[in-house]
Amino acid sequence: MKEKFEVVFLEQAIEFIEKLDDKSRNKIFYNIDKAKLINDPKLFKKLKGEIWEFRTKFKGNQHRLFAFWDKTKSKETLVISTHGIIKKVSKVPKSEIEKAEKIRTKYFNL
C-alpha cells in the first residue's frame, strides 16, 4: 500500500511527543502511520478551515496533534503537524485551533 502523504513535525509537535511516555508515543506514531494509508476520521479528520487533527485515544486520554496540508512542494503532499494536546473531553478548545492557524500562517509566510 502506498502512503497518501508524508508527515513533518514542527518544533512544538516534537516537544509535545517527547514529553509523552513510550507507550503513548508509540501508539500515536502507529495511528499516524495507519492514517497515511487509509482514510479514517477516527485517526485523521478536518476540524475547521485548513486545520486537521491526528487523533489517538490511549489509556483514557485523547491525544491530538494539530496539522495542515502543504501542497506547494513539487514532491508528495506534506501534512505539517503544528502542536499537540491531551484532553479529557471530546470538544477541541477553540484556542488550540486558533494556535494551529497562527502556526500555519507563520509557516507559509517564511
Side-chain angles (χ1 to χ4, degrees):
M1 238 179 178
K2 185 180 182 297
E3 292 181 350
K4 299 173 193 279
F5 54 84
E6 182 182 338
V7 177
V8 173
F9 298 94
L10 297 180
E11 187 176 338
Q12 290 183 50
I14 293 168
E15 289 170 2
F16 170 75
I17 292 168
E18 286 177 344
K19 290 178 185 173
L20 299 172
D21 64 88
D22 289 343
K23 288 184 178 183
S24 296
R25 188 179 311 123
N26 290 341
K27 179 70 173 176
I28 288 170
F29 286 136
Y30 173 82
N31 281 355
I32 289 173
D33 287 342
K34 197 171 168 185
K36 291 180 196 176
L37 300 172
I38 61 169
N39 291 329
D40 184 347
K42 290 180 183 168
L43 299 174
F44 186 55
K45 78 171 210 176
K46 187 172 189 171
L47 286 175
K48 178 186 170 210
E50 300 297 322
I51 304 302
W52 292 65
E53 69 175 348
F54 287 104
R55 305 160 52 101
T56 299
K57 189 170 184 179
F58 186 66
K59 290 186 176 178
N61 289 321
Q62 297 186 43
H63 300 81
R64 298 291 189 260
L65 280 167
F66 298 91
F68 60 87
W69 295 91
D70 179 354
K71 298 179 182 179
T72 60
K73 307 280 188 262
S74 58
K75 54 183 246 167
E76 294 295 314
T77 299
L78 299 176
V79 174
I80 311 297
S81 179
T82 60
H83 70 290
I85 62 169
I86 297 175
K87 61 192 192 86
K88 300 274 185 194
V89 295
S90 58
K91 189 168 168 105
V92 176
K94 185 179 177 185
S95 61
E96 297 298 336
I97 296 172
E98 289 168 353
K99 181 177 180 178
E101 288 170 337
K102 287 177 186 169
I103 294 170
R104 179 183 181 275
T105 299
K106 184 177 176 184
Y107 173 86
F108 282 114
N109 287 330
L110 291 180

